[in-house]
Amino acid sequence: MESTAGSFRRWEIAPALLLALLAGASILYAASRPGNYDVGLAYSGGAEAFRSGHPEAVFTWVSTPFLAMLMAILTRVASADQAATAYNLFNLALAAGLIASVWARLRRRLEPIAWWATLFAAAVFAPFSSSLWWKQFNLLALVLVVAGYVLIRSQRPRGDLAGATLIALSISIKPVVFLLPLLLLLRRDTRRAGLYSLGWIAGFQGVAQVFLADRAGDLATLSPLPALANFSAKSLPQTNGWACAHENFSPTSTLCRLVGSAADWNLQRAAVFAIVLLFAILLLRVLASAPDRSWDLFAAACLLSPLFSPIAWSHYQLFLAPMMLLLAVRLPRDRSALPGWGLLAVCYPLAELICAPGGTLAPPPRARRGSVRPPPTPSR
């Protein structure tokens, strides 16, 4: 649907001022909040990576070798406080740039009221704010995959290669949207981009493994298996309690809390994997008729990828945003789309319930006797 007016109207001054007030408050909160949060955790892993080549020795480390290498280099040029401050400002710039670029493109696709409604929904989206306040790498990962997919969609010379590089960089830093290269492989028109992505991921991680092996002085560190084993071990409920923590929104963690016990963890994981896989197959069948390089494929990858992980903190719901926005833009404004609008009306408020570390509309449940208790200091 095309808007008849791309220019701003006089009445739009009011929502613009209100948006500036809301955004300013969130930015001020993010900029002034003390603590290094997730950058501090990553910095600790980087320091250990530089010292011993084994970032997994840090209890809270569950990240990639590539991020360990980047953080190890960062520890040589900045303190933890300096790194957190610099990344906080970088995160805020990413947030402003992402929203500005996306809604600039939507300006001529949506009527002004719908445009402002979706813009406000994005600006106050709790997982978006939470990612900023935690000083999280989520936003960087999302910006990189969005930019990469835009290049792939452009079909410019070397657009597939450049886009695949950005997607691989995102996954190498934080593999939240790890399904995107695999979904690209399913389409003949995007298969080359998918192969490029996998090649770049292997290259980035290979360079990181060489760096870690050099710091460890041990050729055995060239293997990526210790990093995978570290994540697998720290995802188990008996290791640290993260697996069933109330802020872990993964389907496996949700089932664990519903059952009230992690005694049958392997069975629970198998059941969740089967259900999520079935959901993924059904969704991909629905999208089978979608055009190649469409945003449908991208939104599906963002939606499905975190569902397969045993750890998905509340701010990972940021990756629901592409599918929500796609539905808000595409759904007809009539009765035929009531089920779709009803789904949005349920999903969006649920994602707003937790806005940690700023607060929560849903207090954590009290642990029952014999039930799984939340961990004291979860890694994110």
Side-chain angles (χ1 to χ4, degrees), residues 10-28:
R10 185 173 300 176
W11 65 265
E12 294 181 84
I13 295 175
L17 291 174
L18 179 58
L19 180 66
L21 181 64
L22 291 174
S26 180
I27 290 172
L28 181 63

Side-chain angles (χ1 to χ4, degrees), residues 38-364:
D38 289 7
V39 172
L41 295 177
Y43 191 94
S44 298
E48 183 62 29
F50 192 88
R51 189 188 69 81
S52 69
H54 292 284
E56 67 275 7
V58 177
F59 178 70
T60 55
W61 183 263
V62 288
S63 300
T64 65
F66 186 74
L67 181 61
M69 180 185 72
L70 295 182
M71 297 307 297
I73 296 170
L74 184 61
T75 62
R76 301 301 96 194
V77 298
S79 67
D81 289 341
Q82 290 170 337
T85 300
Y87 187 76
N88 196 25
L89 296 174
F90 180 58
N91 234 5
L92 291 171
L94 288 175
L98 178 64
I99 288 183
S101 60
V102 170
W103 268 264
R105 289 170 177 258
L106 290 175
R107 181 64 187 177
R108 291 188 177 276
R109 283 189 57 88
L110 296 173
E111 293 294 335
I113 293 178
W115 188 83
W116 279 108
T118 55
L119 179 55
F120 267 97
V124 300
F125 192 42
F128 188 77
S129 300
S130 188
S131 294
L132 290 175
W133 299 344
W134 278 119
K135 298 178 175 65
Q136 246 292 326
F137 296 103
N138 286 346
L139 195 54
L140 174 59
L142 180 60
V143 167
L144 286 172
V145 291
V146 168
Y149 200 70
V150 167
L151 287 171
I152 291 173
R153 278 173 51 85
S154 70
Q155 296 185 291
R156 295 172 183 169
R158 300 188 180 180
D160 283 357
L161 179 60
T165 304
L166 293 179
I167 290 171
L169 186 59
S170 169
I171 293 172
S172 297
I173 292 172
K174 187 157 189 174
V176 184
V177 196
F178 71 93
L179 285 180
L180 184 55
L182 303 180
L183 296 186
L184 291 173
L185 286 175
L186 295 179
R187 299 292 185 99
R188 180 178 299 176
D189 188 48
T190 57
R191 191 160 296 153
R192 182 171 59 179
L195 290 172
Y196 283 153
S197 297
L198 294 177
W200 276 114
I201 291 171
F204 287 142
Q205 298 304 330
V207 169
Q209 295 295 161
V210 170
F211 174 85
L212 294 177
D214 177 66
R215 297 308 306 168
D218 182 7
L219 290 178
T221 312
L222 286 171
S223 171
L225 295 180
L228 297 174
N230 173 64
F231 179 78
S232 178
K234 291 177 180 177
S235 300
L236 297 174
Q238 62 267 29
T239 303
N240 46 43
W242 302 341
C244 300
H246 69 274
E247 278 194 52
N248 182 353
F249 277 28
S250 72
T252 308
S253 180
T254 302
L255 179 60
C256 177
R257 292 193 301 275
L258 288 174
V259 172
S261 170
D264 299 315
W265 178 252
N266 290 333
L267 181 61
Q268 292 176 29
R269 282 287 293 148
V272 166
F273 181 82
I275 294 171
V276 172
L277 183 61
L278 177 61
F279 174 67
I281 293 171
L282 292 175
L283 180 58
L284 293 178
R285 284 179 64 88
V286 170
L287 298 179
S289 59
D292 290 329
R293 302 175 189 257
S294 70
W295 283 109
D296 306 67
L297 189 71
F298 178 84
C302 290
L303 172 67
L304 293 172
S305 296
L307 297 180
F308 283 95
S309 175
I311 298 177
W313 302 114
S314 58
H315 49 71
Y316 282 34
Q317 293 176 109
L318 173 67
F319 293 89
L320 295 175
M323 184 62 78
M324 289 183 177
L325 181 59
L326 187 68
L327 290 174
V329 171
R330 295 264 189 88
L331 287 174
R333 274 60 167 168
D334 56 40
R335 286 173 157 247
S336 66
L338 280 179
W341 288 111
L343 180 65
L344 270 179
V346 171
C347 291
Y348 183 86
L350 285 176
E352 291 289 284
L353 291 178
I354 290 185
C355 198
T360 173
L361 297 177

Side-chain angles (χ1 to χ4, degrees), residues 29-40:
Y29 185 82
S32 61
R33 189 171 180 84
N36 296 335
Y37 291 104
D38 289 7
V39 172

